[in-house]
Amino acid sequence: MRLAAVYLDDHYLFDKPQTINLGGKYDYQFQGDKVTRTLNNRFIPNFYSEHTVESVSAIVGKNGSGKTTLIKLLIDNLKPRRIGHVTYPMIFEDGDQTYLSHNLEANFDCEVQLPKTRTIYYSPFLDYNNSVAGIDLSLDTLIDKDLFNIDALSHANDQVVPLRRLKTKNSLRQLEFQHSPFGKELKEYFDFPEFNKSKFSFTRHKIDVDHDTGRINFWNTPREFQGSLQQIYDKIETEGRTINENRPEGYSLVELQKNLLKNYILTDILCLFIKQMEKSNDFLDEGRLTNDYIQFEKSLEGKSAFDSLFEFLDSHSFGIRKSKESIQLLPVDETKSLINRLYELIDKTEAKNARDKRFFDWDEKTIYLDKESTENLIELNNKFLSELDSYYGSFKSDNGELVFTRAIRIDGILNFEPSERSLSSGENALLNLYSRIHDYFKKNLVELKTEESSPFYHIFLDEGDLGFHPSWKKQFVKSTISFLSNYFKSLNSKIQLVFTTHDPLTLSDILNYNIIYLDEVDNKKIIVDDENRPSKSFGANVTDLLADSFFVGNGLIGDFSKEKINECIEWLGDKEKTEKSDYFERLIRNIDEPIIQRKLSEMYDEKMKKEITKDLISSQIEYLQNQLKKYEE
């Protein structure tokens, strides 16, 4: 159900009421409590997508004209409310049916109803603003989430560095997107680099341990588990000391370091489990072990920490809702698969300077993996985290189905970074846009259904093409529509896309009636009306778009070059001045606009009695001959 129009009857951005039409089947006009409409003769149904993308609109204007403010205003107005509580009147179109958010007098058939919809906001800017309503994928919000609880983590026994943490989280989102079917489809449009070699390090979640006694201070972990978890923790600590102190004869340094890293990883996994259980005391009395916990602890005697952890996972369960049935809430098979794969990869890595794409670096407690191993490890990690995230939100209903009510998310232990080269700013901008959308829905609707899919999403991209190379800007609209269409079709949802832009290459893919032009006149912001709005956009010449739609004004050359050309004209007009003739001759030869260059060269020849025009024409003839030769070849 696309948003067709909104009426801003009283907003600080504008000094008088404004009607905003977003390019629907009709053009709407408001006058107080009355609304009228006329048929939009240029409207093309299903123009951008046959099934999923119902509308694509752009907001254009000078810096400071209110583009971002307008987007956030629309988002706030679209958040769920009751009829009559919506701030500004809105009109929605769904096929031949029209809906109003307010009881208004209309000259057309309509219903007063608010659609079930959600908003998505993306912004690449760090502008220190508060989160917006709906799904907020802005850089501000993402940094806040990525750095959340950073003090409770450690990296290779050191404090986590915020900048490295942000890079790790962002790189992991990008990697997972690239390995998804949607990322592979996008490769048809953009030649973004693949991560052929990846660097993995490990994060430890800090738990409350008395460093003098080594005892864990449990608060919310199920009581029946506490003694066994302490026993496993002690085993890991003892085995780590033994590896360090008792190196057998012929035991290489690299083998020692690999075994120590395995020991560290086992600690990381155990700390992760404890940290998750300590978040809430939902199951303080519900924890169960196959045997009495005293007998179970005795059964662990003589076993390695590795085997003890696995036996604990096999034996643990929870009695849910005082039911006789019990379920295992900690991931069992997923934990075993992840740990076994990590151990296998560590064993296969070589010394740091090996030519193979898999090697081991003890100094940073990291392993470097090839593309195939990386993809496999990420998949195992996602399955593991998906199960662990549901620890607080799962129970069996009366019909025996596992139902998720909520999830308390926790970061895993894996940190990922591309190791071959850093991405360019444009490559980061491209992958950030698509990977953030993919990451949000993968976590909240695919891996673990913590929210219901909406039948309709209004997506707002605030300069989503920022940082793109011109060749990528040309593909921005097409690729974005392709991605969003396929992605939301998989969620059985429809969408409306609204974005801001400064770029004519992007705007040339948008139908003119789907563009909202903002301007500022006499320090007052306005929405440009039909009489004064630019008339060209879709498939238009880029030069026309720059001059017309983007309010450049005063020509299309830079102010610095314009100043130099005017200086040259002034010098040529003064017949008495001949000094600096060499300077102005060189300037004229460097001007690449042919008409301006030809006229100035003729004036120069007349003044200085020279023939640089002839030289320039000869150069042009040579250039055209070379072009003809290339064409013939």
Side-chain angles (χ1 to χ4, degrees):
M1 194 179 291
R2 63 180 172 268
L3 176 63
V6 61
Y7 179 53
L8 306 181
D9 51 354
D10 181 21
H11 189 271
Y12 74 87
L13 194 63
F14 307 104
D15 68 331
K16 61 181 180 180
Q18 300 283 341
T19 299
I20 300 174
N21 281 287
L22 285 95
K25 187 176 181 179
Y26 297 90
D27 288 325
Y28 299 88
Q29 288 299 322
F30 290 82
Q31 288 183 334
D33 292 333
K34 297 180 179 180
V35 57
T36 60
R37 75 181 186 189
T38 55
L39 186 66
N40 179 3
N41 292 318
R42 296 172 297 169
F43 177 73
I44 305 175
N46 304 319
F47 183 68
Y48 285 101
S49 171
E50 189 65 31
H51 301 291
T52 308
V53 184
E54 290 208 348
S55 175
V56 179
S57 304
I59 301 175
V60 183
K62 299 174 181 177
N63 285 328
S65 60
K67 298 185 296 298
T68 299
T69 302
L70 180 56
I71 275 185
K72 292 184 177 181
L73 182 155
L74 293 175
I75 291 172
D76 184 67
N77 211 50
L78 283 165
K79 68 184 180 184
R81 290 186 177 95
R82 299 194 306 275
I83 295 292
H85 289 75
V86 180
T87 308
Y88 301 104
M90 295 181 292
I91 298 177
F92 299 89
E93 294 178 347
D94 186 10
D96 294 327
Q97 185 64 51
T98 305
Y99 300 90
L100 297 181
S101 64
H102 289 60
N103 276 303
L104 300 173
E105 183 181 335
N107 71 336
F108 52 89
D109 293 331
C110 59
E111 293 182 20
V112 180
Q113 180 181 326
L114 288 173
K116 290 183 178 180
T117 181
R118 291 200 71 189
T119 58
I120 300 172
Y121 174 64
Y122 171 85
S123 169
F125 303 105
L126 180 61
D127 49 14
Y128 311 104
N129 285 328
N130 295 327
S131 294
V132 300
I135 299 169
D136 187 347
L137 304 179
S138 64
L139 182 58
D140 286 309
T141 300
L142 214 66
I143 288 176
D144 189 47
K145 289 180 178 178
D146 286 351
L147 294 181
F148 177 74
N149 212 25
I150 191 173
D151 291 337
L153 305 172
S154 63
H155 178 246
N157 295 333
D158 292 323
Q159 192 70 29
V160 175
V161 178
L163 189 60
R164 185 172 181 182
R165 174 74 173 170
L166 292 174
K167 181 180 179 182
T168 290
K169 299 284 283 185
N170 204 52
S171 297
L172 188 56
R173 279 189 291 268
Q174 294 175 348
L175 175 75
E176 291 178 343
F177 170 70
Q178 287 192 64
H179 286 169
S180 73
F182 305 101
K184 291 171 182 175
E185 286 177 10
L186 209 66
K187 285 284 287 183
E188 298 176 11
Y189 297 95
F190 305 108
D191 186 25
F192 50 72
E194 294 189 13
F195 299 131
N196 293 315
K197 188 165 64 177
S198 308
K199 174 181 177 181
F200 285 93
S201 58
F202 304 92
T203 291
R204 179 164 302 173
H205 292 255
K206 297 177 182 177
I207 59 176
D208 188 0
V209 178
D210 187 318
H211 293 289
D212 293 328
T213 64
R215 306 305 295 173
I216 303 171
N217 295 314
F218 293 106
W219 303 99
N220 296 321
T221 298
R223 292 189 179 95
E224 189 141 340
F225 296 166
Q226 294 178 10
S228 302
L229 293 172
Q230 179 69 59
Q231 191 175 359
I232 296 170
Y233 180 82
D234 293 340
K235 283 177 179 284
I236 298 173
E237 291 285 296
T238 301
E239 287 180 4
R241 288 193 297 271
T242 302
I243 293 170
N244 244 327
E245 295 168 0
N246 303 320
R247 187 176 5 155
E249 187 176 346
Y251 200 57
S252 72
L253 179 61
V254 172
E255 288 176 301
L256 169 74
Q257 293 169 343
K258 286 182 178 181
N259 284 329
L260 281 174
L261 183 59
K262 292 177 186 178
N263 180 266
Y264 287 164
I265 290 172
L266 213 56
T267 307
D268 293 339
I269 291 286
L270 183 65
C271 289
L272 180 61
F273 285 155
I274 295 172
K275 192 71 174 182
Q276 180 73 323
M277 290 187 283
E278 284 290 303
K279 284 184 177 181
S280 173
N281 65 359
D282 289 28
F283 305 118
L284 194 58
D285 296 315
E286 282 73 25
R288 303 284 185 271
L289 290 168
T290 304
N291 298 315
D292 175 83
Y293 73 92
I294 297 176
Q295 292 180 336
F296 181 78
E297 289 175 26
K298 286 183 178 180
S299 73
L300 297 185
E301 293 177 4
K303 292 184 178 178
S304 69
F306 178 91
D307 291 335
S308 296
L309 178 61
F310 281 20
E311 186 162 338
F312 169 79
L313 289 171
D314 286 330
S315 301
H316 93 285
S317 63
F318 294 82
I320 304 300
R321 287 185 165 182
K322 299 181 180 179
S323 169
K324 293 181 180 179
E325 293 187 50
S326 60
I327 59 174
Q328 293 178 320
L329 292 184
L330 293 175
V332 180
D333 293 337
E334 293 80 8
T335 304
K336 293 178 179 180
S337 297
L338 179 62
I339 293 177
N340 283 325
R341 183 56 175 156
L342 282 169
Y343 279 23
E344 180 185 354
L345 290 170
I346 291 170
D347 287 335
K348 288 183 177 180
T349 55
E350 304 293 338
K352 183 175 179 180
N353 294 321
R355 293 181 181 178
D356 186 25
K357 288 186 177 178
R358 291 191 298 234
F359 63 85
F360 169 79
D361 183 356
W362 173 250
D363 293 337
E364 292 192 357
K365 312 294 188 296
T366 56
I367 54 175
Y368 291 74
L369 303 177
D370 57 27
K371 179 182 175 183
E372 183 179 350
S373 299
T374 295
E375 192 166 352
N376 172 248
L377 187 56
I378 292 298
E379 183 179 355
L380 292 174
N381 186 60
N382 285 341
K383 290 179 180 178
F384 167 75
L385 284 179
S386 180
E387 291 298 316
L388 185 60
D389 284 340
S390 67
Y391 175 82
Y392 290 102
S394 56
F395 60 87
K396 280 193 175 180
S397 61
D398 294 337
N399 63 6
E401 293 183 354
L402 196 63
V403 179
F404 295 104
T405 56
R406 64 189 175 100
I408 299 181
R409 292 217 170 270
I410 191 166
D411 288 333
I413 65 167
L414 285 184
N415 299 312
F416 161 82
E417 294 177 46
S419 64
E420 291 179 306
R421 72 172 180 88
S422 297
L423 296 176
S424 69
S425 57
E427 290 166 342
N428 262 314
L430 172 75
L431 289 174
N432 284 344
L433 170 60
Y434 300 112
S435 66
R436 289 184 200 175
I437 294 174
H438 174 261
D439 178 73
Y440 180 86
F441 286 98
K442 176 178 68 71
K443 287 181 177 177
N444 294 288
L445 275 108
V446 179
E447 291 180 352
L448 184 63
K449 197 167 184 179
T450 58
E451 62 181 57
E452 291 293 327
S453 175
S454 174
F456 203 98
Y457 290 91
H458 292 89
I459 302 177
F460 297 89
L461 308 180
D462 197 358
E463 294 194 43
D465 56 355
L466 186 72
F468 284 24
H469 183 275
S471 63
W472 284 6
K473 286 178 183 286
K474 285 178 62 179
Q475 301 181 77
F476 173 71
V477 172
K478 183 179 179 181
S479 64
T480 301
I481 289 172
S482 175
F483 166 71
L484 294 176
S485 179
N486 292 332
Y487 201 92
F488 285 91
K489 184 178 181 181
S490 71
L491 301 176
N492 199 28
S493 302
K494 293 187 177 183
I495 67 167
Q496 177 176 5
L497 175 62
V498 180
F499 64 87
T500 66
T501 186
H502 283 294
D503 195 87
L505 291 168
T506 300
L507 197 66
S508 67
D509 278 335
I510 304 300
L511 296 167
N512 192 258
Y513 66 81
N514 276 25
I515 301 173
I516 302 161
Y517 293 96
L518 301 181
D519 200 1
E520 190 170 3
V521 179
D522 298 328
N523 294 321
K524 296 177 181 177
K525 294 177 175 59
I526 62 168
I527 295 171
V528 182
D529 58 31
D530 289 342
E531 292 184 7
N532 297 300
R533 61 184 276 123
S535 58
K536 299 176 181 179
S537 66
F538 188 76
N541 179 279
V542 173
T543 305
D544 291 338
L545 284 167
L546 273 170
D548 199 7
S549 303
F550 284 78
F551 315 101
V552 173
N554 299 319
L556 293 176
I557 63 174
D559 285 350
F560 182 79
S561 59
K562 183 200 278 190
E563 182 181 288
K564 290 295 182 183
I565 290 171
N566 285 334
E567 181 186 344
C568 182
I569 293 171
E570 183 179 344
W571 180 84
L572 289 169
D574 190 337
K575 302 299 182 183
E576 303 299 323
K577 287 185 178 179
T578 57
E579 67 275 10
K580 297 182 68 174
S581 61
D582 183 61
Y583 167 82
F584 286 109
E585 179 182 340
R586 290 172 183 268
L587 173 59
I588 292 169
R589 290 182 183 275
N590 275 286
I591 295 172
D592 290 322
E593 206 295 315
I595 296 176
I596 294 176
Q597 185 191 53
R598 173 74 64 84
K599 183 59 181 176
L600 294 181
S601 67
E602 290 172 354
M603 293 171 66
Y604 185 89
D605 288 348
E606 182 180 348
K607 177 175 179 174
M608 301 304 299
K609 309 304 180 188
K610 296 185 70 172
E611 294 185 346
I612 68 168
T613 304
K614 182 178 178 181
D615 292 343
L616 294 173
I617 292 173
S618 297
S619 297
Q620 291 172 3
I621 291 172
E622 183 180 354
Y623 169 77
L624 292 172
Q625 286 175 337
N626 288 332
Q627 291 296 103
L628 179 61
K629 185 178 179 181
K630 288 181 181 179
Y631 177 79
E632 290 173 343
E633 290 173 352

